[in-house]
Amino acid sequence: LDVSTQRVAFHGLPVAIAVGTREDYLRTAGAGDSLFFWWKPDTSFIELQPWALRLPDSDQEQWERNIGITDSIPTTLRKWVSPKLVKADLRVWELIKDMRITSSRIDR
């Protein structure tokens, strides 16, 4: 089963699925108490003060058996930089080459 389907069924989450334009999404996602996907740096829903749906901590054994009812297996955040940047602007390259950020920092 799809991970989303497993989570909805196991945790008893009431869901509905809709398809539309970005404008439809912006209008309907914020229309009431609802679960919606949102990338935090996007400010579209900031006034709603949304909170993240927190699942139980990841269970590696369950994930290995394709049971996805816990949080996803942690992933590494990576940065990609064009190799041409070092020649284009060495100062910017020096600034970002050792820059690190964690998921918890993004979540603040």
Side-chain angles (χ1 to χ4, degrees):
L1 286 174
D2 172 78
V3 171
S4 297
T5 305
Q6 290 183 45
R7 289 176 177 170
V8 164
F10 184 82
H11 297 288
L13 302 173
V15 298
I17 299 172
V19 177
T21 65
R22 176 172 168 74
E23 291 73 26
D24 292 335
Y25 184 71
L26 293 174
R27 185 175 56 255
T28 57
D33 291 339
S34 62
L35 176 69
F36 57 90
F37 289 99
W38 179 49
W39 175 243
K40 197 171 189 176
D42 176 2
T43 60
S44 301
F45 300 111
I46 200 76
E47 73 280 356
L48 299 176
Q49 298 179 332
W51 48 274
L53 175 64
R54 299 287 183 198
L55 297 170
D57 288 341
S58 179
D59 184 324
Q60 180 74 33
E61 287 182 24
Q62 286 184 348
W63 278 94
E64 288 171 1
R65 296 183 358 235
N66 293 320
I67 300 171
I69 59 176
T70 59
D71 203 358
S72 302
I73 295 171
T75 58
T76 302
L77 297 174
R78 301 191 188 281
K79 69 177 177 219
W80 292 65
V81 179
S82 169
K84 295 179 181 179
L85 181 60
V86 70
K87 291 181 182 176
D89 195 326
L90 184 59
R91 292 176 303 150
V92 172
W93 170 260
E94 290 293 331
L95 173 68
I96 66 172
K97 74 175 180 161
D98 295 320
M99 186 181 293
R100 303 281 185 267
I101 189 165
T102 62
S103 297
S104 59
R105 177 79 175 146
I106 291 173
D107 287 344
R108 287 190 205 168

